[in-house]
Amino acid sequence: MFPYPEQYRIALPPLTTGFMVIWAILSHTIFADASPFALYPLFLLFIVVVGAHFYLIVMSKGMQRLDQCFYALVHIPLAFVVWTFTIMHVNGHAFS
């Protein structure tokens, strides 16, 4: 069905991070500040990013496993920063 299934699996964590940003922007315009409907998917999406990296590490063979570990080592901290700012964006002025 898909011509390159490995590339789709490798692209899953950055696409999830991008979806985090899109969700934060759209949900902040639709819902009130600190809406649980806007916040809870963000909490889940970071877990999905970490889980996708874990899946990529487990499913790799040989030296590709080390490549996937470095990929996770670089992407997870960056995704954490993006995740933190999306939570701050969705909260708006709720903490002040």
Side-chain angles (χ1 to χ4, degrees):
M1 181 174 172
F2 295 116
Y4 306 106
E6 184 66 25
Q7 282 79 7
Y8 290 114
R9 277 183 276 185
I10 292 173
L12 184 64
L15 288 175
T16 308
T17 305
F19 182 71
M20 252 191 266
V21 173
I22 292 169
W23 177 259
I25 292 170
L26 291 178
S27 65
H28 185 69
T29 59
I30 296 171
F31 303 111
D33 288 345
S35 169
F37 187 72
L39 279 174
Y40 292 154
L42 289 176
F43 296 143
L44 181 69
L45 284 173
F46 185 71
I47 295 170
V48 168
V49 168
V50 173
H53 278 295
F54 182 72
Y55 171 75
L56 287 172
I57 291 169
V58 169
M59 296 307 289
S60 297
K61 294 177 177 68
M63 288 302 287
Q64 282 186 337
R65 188 167 287 169
L66 184 63
D67 294 341
Q68 293 300 329
C69 287
F70 282 124
Y71 178 36
L73 185 68
V74 170
H75 184 254
I76 289 175
L78 293 174
F80 180 78
V81 171
V82 170
W83 178 66
T84 304
F85 282 111
T86 56
I87 289 173
M88 290 169 54
H89 181 72
V90 168
N91 275 330
H93 297 290
F95 289 136
S96 36

